[in-house]
Amino acid sequence: MKRREQSQTEQLRQALAEREAQLQEAQVRLSSLEGSTSLQVGRALTNAAKRPGRSLVRLPRDLYRLWRSSGNTNHSKRRRAEPVRSFDADRQEARLLSGLVGQGEEHLVAATVVGAGIQQAVDPYLRSVPLRPHDAQIVMDGVDIDLVLVSSSAAAPGSPWAHVGDPAVADRTRALNWVLESAASRGVPALLLEDAPTPPALRRLGFDRIHHGDAGVPLHLFNPVAADLAPGPEAVYVRDDPGERVPDVLADLGVRVVDADAPDLAETLRAANVAVVPGSGPGSGPLHRRARACGTRTITHSAAAALAGEEDLAVSVPRLRADEPTAAEQREMLRRVFLDEATPVRLSEVLGGLDFPPGTPGTELPLRGRAVAVLADPSGEDEAERLADDLLSFRLPPAEVVVPASAARLSGVRRLRAEGLTVRTARFTAPDTPEELTRDTARDDGFAVERWATLAHRASARWAHPWTASSGRHRLADLVCAAECSGADAVGARPRNAVPDGAGDRGFFDRPRDEGNQYVFVSEIRPELARTALLRQGWPPVQWYRRGSRLLALGPETGPGRATGADGSTHTSADAGAVG
């Protein structure tokens, strides 16, 4: 009886909070309506009709004042309404009613008015609710969102929001302005990505932040995974503008021409050894980064120095076309993009500092998919010190470290805690000693299944890295980058006992011809990075493939690589000072 009364009380409190929120929003809309020019004109005409004497004489002067004041309206300086905040309303219940169950903790929910390229880039990192001009009001009224994301490419011809911000299509501009007004009344921030030329009226709609640039490089689209399977030319010329003139020397060399917005751009870049990218234009920088993410060298060609540029291209393109990039060179180019220019990094930078409504999980959500828990079982002081040295040198810092409770007193583990890393401890039951447990549960390759599963149960990060020995400061970043590029469930090295010939039961992709490739899907690996939920199952790695997991073999980083610039590009004399 007490529980039923408590449930009724909670329902009444929820209903009261919703009524207060609706009342506050109605007051905001009423004040906006009362201050509108149309209502004031109607009142002036009504007064003149009711009192034809004095009011009719003052009517021209009143209308002239209204006309003068209406020209000073600026949407960017509009009075921001106080956000509608229910003091004790659970936002997850609202999302359950709107069909967004389970997304409140893993992704930010964003109402999007973006181009196709931006939509594909942000899909893995945001829970998108696309808006269209004819249903924007209905969707906004029924969905609880954290962000309004708009891109300039949404105004491109062919888009549902084509020419938004143009005076010729005022209805779409009014619809988008209503979306921003509704978001402001809820305290939801609005962001504009200027990834294309922006209509002036679009910038004046009152965004909380305007970012000049795109959403970064989506590594799930542009990456070197399966580059050996992509058929295509060894050299390609990427045009930012379809009407751009192709240099004559490239036509004579038989270089394939592809547009920057072509659907097969990623496959074409993966198949090429070198990509010629224009040195000017708003899209030249993103094109360079996308090509390097695919493992392709880039040459910047400036149209301003056409003659000199063609002479340089006639020499550099054939040379790089016949010279395949080394594995170390491709790894370094991809690593730089992953750490500095990838989509989750760009989103976290752009969203940082925005004033989100209460209950929003946080702007770090786009990068939460890269959080790694290091699972370690140091046997003594020396190994604990090596663990600390290794983890503190990683280019991608781990989110947390999980060690057995008996190792928490080691000096290396205490040093990790002193450096600010979150250290968690796990307790084991029987057997008592690590040697007994390893002997009972380890396979031939030394992977102690049950022990890693116990450590994984204490981890809160999405990924887990079973640490066994020092692997270099780049290895963890390369592993997480490979997982982000491929969508694999586990990444690691090839097993030591791989079958030497193509026969056997290890699968089609384990043939010897794949030994030189860096990113290959296989049927068995020695896990170096795996989803934490997969390690918690306690299955031997040999069973992961048979249970439906995607396994990616990441080759070792060997060789000094080709000497390139600081950003991994090769430039001709025609692109001095150009963006790399």
Side-chain angles (χ1 to χ4, degrees):
M1 199 57 190
K2 184 178 180 180
R3 182 175 301 177
R4 180 180 300 176
E5 293 177 356
Q6 183 179 2
S7 177
Q8 293 177 355
T9 303
E10 293 296 332
Q11 292 178 4
L12 292 175
R13 294 177 62 187
Q14 177 71 18
L16 178 60
E18 295 299 332
R19 295 299 182 271
E20 290 183 352
Q22 294 175 5
L23 178 60
Q24 186 175 355
E25 185 173 359
Q27 291 174 349
V28 171
R29 293 183 178 181
L30 179 60
S31 62
S32 177
L33 179 62
E34 290 179 347
S36 64
T37 304
S38 301
L39 183 60
Q40 295 179 18
V41 171
R43 286 178 176 175
L45 294 176
T46 302
N47 293 334
K50 289 182 178 179
R51 299 175 181 177
R54 190 173 181 179
S55 298
L56 190 60
V57 176
R58 298 173 54 184
L59 180 62
R61 185 182 60 182
D62 295 340
L63 294 179
Y64 177 74
R65 288 178 178 176
L66 292 175
W67 174 76
R68 289 291 301 272
S69 62
S70 64
N72 297 328
T73 302
N74 190 352
H75 292 291
S76 63
K77 298 181 180 180
R78 67 185 189 274
R79 184 179 65 85
R80 296 182 63 88
E82 291 296 327
V84 177
R85 296 177 179 176
S86 301
F87 61 93
D88 196 22
D90 188 357
R91 304 182 73 219
Q92 296 304 320
E93 293 185 6
R95 292 182 175 180
L96 175 62
L97 297 176
S98 60
L100 299 178
V101 58
Q103 298 293 340
E105 298 181 357
E106 296 296 330
H107 297 83
L108 288 172
V109 181
T112 57
V113 180
V114 297
I118 299 294
Q119 188 67 58
Q120 293 178 357
V122 303
D123 272 343
Y125 313 105
L126 298 176
R127 174 65 166 87
S128 299
V129 182
L131 301 180
R132 290 173 291 271
H134 64 277
D135 65 354
Q137 183 172 357
I138 300 175
V139 174
M140 286 291 292
D141 286 340
V143 177
D144 184 20
I145 60 173
D146 303 317
L147 172 71
V148 175
L149 179 62
V150 182
S151 72
S152 301
S153 56
S159 169
W161 293 88
H163 308 291
V164 61
D166 194 318
V169 285
D171 56 336
R172 295 174 186 172
T173 306
R174 284 196 301 267
L176 182 56
N177 183 63
W178 184 92
V179 170
L180 300 182
E181 293 283 356
S182 177
S185 66
R186 306 184 196 180
V188 174
L191 170 66
L192 173 64
L193 297 179
E194 289 190 319
D195 60 330
T198 307
L202 185 60
R203 294 177 57 92
R204 292 197 298 265
L205 289 183
F207 292 92
D208 295 273
R209 178 169 297 174
I210 299 178
H211 172 72
H212 183 68
D214 59 0
V217 181
L219 291 182
H220 63 286
L221 301 176
F222 295 91
N223 57 69
V225 177
D228 58 313
L229 302 179
E234 297 174 347
V236 61
Y237 179 72
V238 186
R239 296 186 302 185
D240 187 29
D241 184 5
E244 181 182 349
R245 175 182 172 271
V246 181
D248 296 335
V249 64
L250 297 181
D252 297 337
L253 293 174
V255 175
R256 178 181 174 182
V257 180
V258 61
D259 294 332
D261 56 352
D264 60 340
L265 176 62
E267 287 293 323
T268 304
L269 292 175
R270 270 191 282 267
N273 293 340
V274 58
V276 182
V277 180
S280 59
S284 59
L287 290 177
H288 277 282
R289 293 188 287 269
R290 280 163 168 75
R292 293 168 193 156
C294 294
T296 304
R297 301 191 190 100
T298 58
I299 296 179
T300 303
H301 170 67
S302 176
L307 181 58
E310 291 187 6
E311 291 177 354
D312 288 338
L313 293 177
V315 176
S316 58
V317 171
R319 175 174 56 86
L320 296 177
R321 182 178 190 173
D323 186 13
E324 184 177 359
T326 63
E329 183 181 356
Q330 289 182 328
R331 187 76 64 84
E332 178 60 25
M333 289 190 294
L334 178 62
R335 186 186 301 129
R336 289 181 180 273
V337 174
F338 168 75
L339 294 174
D340 301 328
E341 300 292 344
T343 297
V345 178
R346 180 69 55 80
L347 288 177
S348 295
E349 292 175 353
V350 173
L351 298 179
L354 289 178
D355 187 15
F356 285 88
T360 305
T363 58
E364 74 281 358
L365 283 181
L367 282 175
R368 187 172 294 182
R370 296 184 176 184
V372 180
V374 175
L375 313 181
D377 186 9
S379 58
E381 292 287 352
D382 294 339
E383 192 170 356
E385 290 294 338
R386 288 196 298 270
L387 170 67
D389 294 338
D390 205 21
L391 268 58
L392 295 177
S393 67
F394 280 165
R395 291 192 64 180
L396 181 67
E400 57 186 357
V401 183
V402 184
V403 296
S406 58
R409 297 184 299 272
L410 299 177
S411 60
V413 177
R414 293 201 305 268
R415 180 153 66 98
L416 290 175
R417 186 180 286 108
E419 291 292 338
L421 284 177
T422 301
V423 179
R424 305 180 188 275
T425 58
R427 296 188 178 275
F428 297 93
T429 54
D432 297 329
T433 63
E435 293 78 12
E436 294 177 0
L437 183 61
T438 303
R439 182 174 61 251
D440 293 340
T441 61
R443 297 176 58 253
D444 295 338
D445 56 3
F447 192 83
V449 176
E450 295 183 6
R451 197 162 187 83
W452 294 126
T454 302
L455 294 174
H457 275 89
R458 288 286 294 138
S460 61
R462 185 177 302 179
W463 295 95
H465 170 54
W467 185 90
T468 55
S470 299
S471 56
R473 63 189 300 261
H474 302 301
R475 187 62 178 178
L476 183 60
D478 292 342
L479 291 170
V480 180
C481 178
E484 186 173 316
C485 290
S486 63
D489 299 307
V491 184
R494 295 177 180 274
R496 300 189 184 96
N497 55 351
V499 177
D501 54 13
D505 59 353
R506 295 189 176 274
F508 175 79
F509 294 104
D510 290 343
R511 294 184 297 173
R513 69 179 183 87
D514 292 329
E515 288 295 333
N517 297 327
Q518 294 292 302
Y519 306 91
V520 182
F521 284 100
V522 295
S523 59
E524 184 181 356
I525 59 172
R526 288 190 290 110
E528 298 180 66
L529 181 75
R531 297 189 186 274
T532 306
L534 182 60
L535 282 176
R536 290 170 182 165
Q537 300 297 328
W539 299 329
V542 70
Q543 299 180 7
W544 290 359
Y545 176 77
R546 300 178 182 179
R547 294 179 181 270
S549 300
R550 304 183 68 194
L551 310 180
L552 184 76
L554 179 64
E557 184 180 4
T558 58
R562 175 175 297 274
T564 58
D567 55 1
S569 63
T570 304
H571 300 277
T572 66
S573 59
D575 65 303
V579 178

